[in-house]
Amino acid sequence: MLQSVEGIYRNGKIELLETPTDIEEAQVIVTFMPKSGLVNLQSRGIDREPAADLRVRLRRLAPDWELPEMDAYDAL
């Protein structure tokens, strides 16, 4: 099963903010995320009007995304 933990990259090293459970050794993939957590939609060809429409439509799905049972899809 895949497991995700948060960490910080600093001075060429990754510091984990939590300890993974039941793992002694494993291959890892590191994904660097922007500090702000925001996505620049203009750089992806999405203008203000389509972005606003997308935000409204996706907001309706948020309650479902927040359900604990949806965590099962994180590994897919």
Side-chain angles (χ1 to χ4, degrees):
M1 178 199 284
L2 295 177
Q3 195 176 142
S4 297
V5 297
E6 286 191 60
I8 297 173
Y9 176 80
R10 183 182 297 129
N11 298 324
K13 295 183 180 182
I14 296 172
E15 301 173 28
L16 297 180
L17 299 177
E18 52 190 296
T19 304
T21 57
D22 300 325
I23 297 178
E24 291 185 28
E25 183 177 322
Q27 185 176 4
V28 299
I29 297 172
V30 177
T31 304
F32 291 92
M33 302 179 346
K35 286 185 177 184
S36 69
L38 300 176
V39 174
N40 183 339
L41 296 178
Q42 280 187 322
S43 71
R44 297 168 189 233
I46 301 174
D47 296 342
R48 283 181 180 263
E49 188 175 320
D53 178 58
L54 184 60
R55 186 176 293 115
V56 168
R57 288 187 289 134
L58 291 177
R59 187 179 305 142
R60 295 178 192 150
L61 300 175
D64 290 333
W65 286 336
E66 302 298 326
L67 294 172
E69 54 267 26
M70 294 300 281
D71 291 345
Y73 292 99
D74 291 345
L76 298 178

